[in-house]
């Protein structure tokens, strides 16, 4: 396993398409300059990052595929493409029905054209910029509309692995594509994975992304989702977070064209001493844009969740309509949930709001259900199912809704046993 030094970076540069080479060079400089993040950084408040880059290393080749299927592979039968990445190496990529699915090194330069590398916000983002030598590109050319999903499986095979998978999704003008990203690792693998999903939605494009996070209980996962949404385009992102020791998602959506729309949905459930950490940023940079963030989560045992959301409406974002909602169930005395929605409005003709709640199961609902003959455990199960159902029904791929609901109930059974 090579260390994170200049030789490894030079090898990474050789394998990257030219469009990503500039990003990688700047990333290496930033990686050397940035300190490790800590709770004093605004984007890392409320958490204690507990991982050591010296304990993990990049791999020269992919490990063995994980046995069995993830939630998505077990649920989806009719696909428009499929890709598998193991330890940051793309081992399979194939598209169909007009959708191109390729490994990053073999992706045509014109597909990556227009990709703009955003300066890294911290050392870990810089690490990804500098060393993400492989990935998966999904491309819907202009006018191609395909509702069958592309399944992208991101796997980490063993302890000690540092994986930097990269998923690039591009939908050209009036194209439509659906992508399901299924992420997992062995139950007891102490590894560090830093996935990144980058999306370019062209004019009037339609992009639907479903991200399933079921990393093993000793995995640290630090994900970034970035999207650029053009005129009259829409992007629908749904994320389900259940696994990992520490799972973080930094989402940054920019609505840059008039009439752009973003829908962000989330459902998460923490147990044991898990930390589930969501940092969502929605930026309205053009007029008549719309967005809706809607996340529901629960924590039990000594788990904690963090949600910080920011809607920023630029002066050009007149006639914006935007809202964010985060609701949390706290199911034990040792668990805790932080929910911090924020608005930053620089235009004067907008509709914008937020809602946030943290609390236990509702006593009145419990009383009502028990008055109809349900036992206490049954009444609480019904309440938890209904709590998550509102979020899961927003997921764009209906085949995964049932399994995710069952997963939430199974987690509830464990934390209340």
């Amino acid at each position: 396993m090579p260390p994170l030094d200049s030789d490894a970076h030079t090898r990474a540069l050789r394998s990257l398409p030219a469009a990503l080479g500039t990003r990688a060079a700047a990333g290496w400089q930033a990686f050397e300059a940035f300190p490790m993040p800590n709770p004093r950084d605004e984007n890392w408040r409320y958490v204690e990052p507990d991982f050591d880059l010296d304990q993990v290393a990049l791999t020269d080749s992919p490990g063995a595929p994980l046995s069995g299927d993830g939630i998505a592979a077990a649920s989806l039968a009719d696909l428009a493409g499929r890709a598998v990445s193991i330890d940051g190496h793309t081992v399979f990529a194939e598209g169909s029905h007009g959708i191109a699915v390729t490994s990053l090194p073999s992706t045509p330069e014109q597909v990556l054209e227009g990709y703009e590398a955003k300066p890294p916000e911290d050392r870990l983002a810089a690490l990804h910029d500098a060393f993400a030598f492989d990935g998966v590109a999904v491309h819907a050319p202009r006018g191609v509309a395909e509702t069958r999903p592309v399944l992208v499986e991101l796997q980490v095979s063993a302890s000690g692995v540092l994986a930097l998978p990269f998923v690039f999704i591009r939908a050209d003008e009036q194209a439509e594509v659906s992508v399901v990203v299924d992420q997992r690792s062995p139950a007891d693998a102490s590894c560090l994975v830093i996935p990144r999903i980058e999306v370019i939605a062209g004019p009037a494009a339609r992009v639907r992304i479903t991200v399933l996070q079921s990393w093993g209980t000793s995995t640290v996962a630090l994900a970034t989702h970035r999207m650029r949404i053009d005129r009259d385009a829409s992007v629908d992102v749904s994320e389900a977070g259940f696994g990992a020791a520490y799972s973080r998602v930094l989402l940054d959506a920019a609505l840059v064209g008039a009439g752009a729309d973003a829908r962000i949905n989330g459902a998460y459930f923490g147990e044991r001493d898990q930390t589930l950490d969501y940092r969502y940023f929605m930026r309205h940079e053009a007029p008549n844009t719309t967005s809706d963030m809607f996340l529901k989560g629960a924590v039990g045992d000594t788990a904690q969740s963090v949600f910080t959301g920011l809607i920023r409406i630029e002066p050009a974002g007149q006639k914006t309509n935007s809202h964010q909602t985060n609701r949390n169930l706290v199911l034990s005395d040792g668990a805790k949930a932080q929910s911090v929605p924020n608005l930053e409005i620089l235009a004067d003709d907008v509709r914008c709001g937020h809602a946030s709640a943290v609390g236990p199961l509702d006593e009145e609902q419990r009383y009502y259900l028990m008055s109809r003959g349900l036992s206490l455990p049954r009444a609480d199960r019904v309440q938890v199912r209904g709590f998550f159902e509102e979020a899961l029904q927003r997921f764009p791929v209906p085949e995964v809704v049932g399994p995710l609901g069952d997963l939430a109930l199974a987690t509830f059974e464990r934390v209340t046993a």
Side-chain angles (χ1 to χ4, degrees):
M1 293 184 177
L4 300 172
D5 58 18
S6 58
D7 290 340
H9 182 250
T10 300
R11 287 196 297 274
L13 275 179
R14 282 200 294 265
S15 66
L16 283 174
L20 301 179
T22 302
R23 181 205 65 172
W28 172 246
Q29 293 181 351
F31 175 71
E32 291 197 305
F34 273 123
M36 286 295 284
N38 65 72
R40 293 186 297 277
D41 301 328
E42 182 59 30
N43 281 347
W44 293 83
R45 286 183 66 189
Y46 311 113
V47 296
E48 291 284 350
D50 184 20
F51 45 86
D52 186 350
L53 292 180
D54 293 332
Q55 301 300 312
V56 293
L58 296 167
T59 63
D60 290 323
S61 58
L66 300 184
S67 60
D69 288 329
I71 293 174
S75 306
L76 300 174
D78 194 8
L79 299 173
R82 186 168 188 165
V84 180
S85 168
I86 302 176
D87 300 337
H89 301 266
T90 303
V91 300
F92 178 81
E94 184 176 84
S96 63
H97 305 289
I99 306 295
V101 182
T102 55
S103 68
L104 207 58
S106 63
T107 300
E109 290 287 344
Q110 60 266 29
V111 174
L112 300 170
E113 192 173 306
Y115 171 73
E116 297 177 3
K118 185 177 180 181
E121 60 274 359
D122 57 34
R123 192 165 198 243
L124 299 165
L127 171 65
H128 195 283
D129 284 354
F131 288 102
F133 51 81
D134 200 353
V136 174
V138 178
H139 178 215
R142 179 176 179 173
V144 171
E146 177 53 58
T147 58
R148 281 169 287 201
V150 174
L151 173 59
V152 178
E153 298 178 74
L154 304 182
Q155 301 180 13
V156 178
S157 66
S159 291
V161 170
L162 167 62
L164 307 168
F166 184 32
V167 180
F168 178 79
I169 301 168
R170 180 184 189 124
D172 290 338
E173 185 170 0
Q174 296 184 327
E176 181 174 357
V177 66
S178 175
V179 180
V180 178
V181 181
D182 198 345
Q183 310 169 107
R184 59 195 180 110
S185 58
D188 57 352
S190 298
C191 50
L192 173 61
V193 55
I194 306 179
R196 181 176 296 179
I197 300 174
E198 298 262 4
V199 180
I200 295 179
R206 300 286 180 268
V207 179
R208 293 180 294 276
I209 304 168
T210 305
V211 182
L212 307 177
Q213 185 272 98
S214 50
W215 299 113
T217 55
S218 296
T219 295
V220 173
L222 312 169
T224 297
H225 304 163
R226 287 183 181 144
M227 51 211 70
R228 184 179 185 278
I229 310 170
D230 213 326
R231 171 180 52 81
D232 295 325
S234 70
V235 172
D236 186 332
V237 180
S238 292
E239 202 269 353
F242 288 89
Y246 173 31
S247 174
R248 172 184 172 88
V249 177
L250 188 152
L251 182 147
D252 186 344
L255 298 100
V256 301
D261 176 68
R263 305 282 156 180
I264 311 297
N265 311 303
Y268 52 88
F269 204 143
E271 58 181 322
R272 305 178 307 281
D273 58 350
Q274 278 182 280
T275 297
L276 302 175
D277 181 5
Y278 295 88
R279 315 285 173 150
Y280 281 14
F281 301 89
M282 185 71 68
R283 295 184 283 123
H284 292 260
E285 301 177 5
N288 297 301
T289 54
T290 55
S291 71
D292 185 21
M293 291 186 202
F294 188 89
L295 287 87
K296 279 193 164 185
V299 283
D301 300 330
T302 57
Q304 70 161 334
S305 67
V306 176
F307 168 78
T308 63
L310 172 64
I311 297 173
R312 178 181 167 91
I313 303 177
E314 301 290 349
Q318 300 291 353
K319 306 292 184 185
T320 283
N321 189 347
S322 181
H323 198 83
Q324 60 179 321
T325 303
N326 176 233
R327 303 192 190 283
N328 298 272
L329 287 177
V330 178
L331 300 170
S332 65
D333 292 340
K336 58 183 178 181
Q338 303 281 355
S339 181
V340 188
N342 297 283
L343 306 176
E344 192 171 355
I345 302 172
L346 305 179
D348 57 10
D349 185 9
V350 303
R351 295 179 64 187
C352 191
H354 60 68
S356 173
V358 175
L361 288 169
D362 189 282
E363 288 291 345
E364 289 190 7
Q365 289 188 31
R366 177 183 283 164
Y367 176 79
Y368 173 80
L369 292 168
M370 293 179 69
S371 71
R372 293 297 184 271
L374 274 65
S375 65
L376 174 60
R378 177 69 175 164
D380 287 352
R381 280 174 56 89
V382 170
Q383 202 176 147
V384 169
R385 185 94 196 198
F387 176 81
F388 279 105
E389 197 72 10
E390 188 178 11
L392 294 177
Q393 287 298 330
R394 295 173 178 237
F395 277 48
V397 179
E399 291 90 339
V400 304
V401 171
L404 291 175
D406 293 342
L407 192 56
L409 279 182
T411 308
F412 175 69
E413 298 285 358
R414 287 193 294 273
V415 302
T416 55

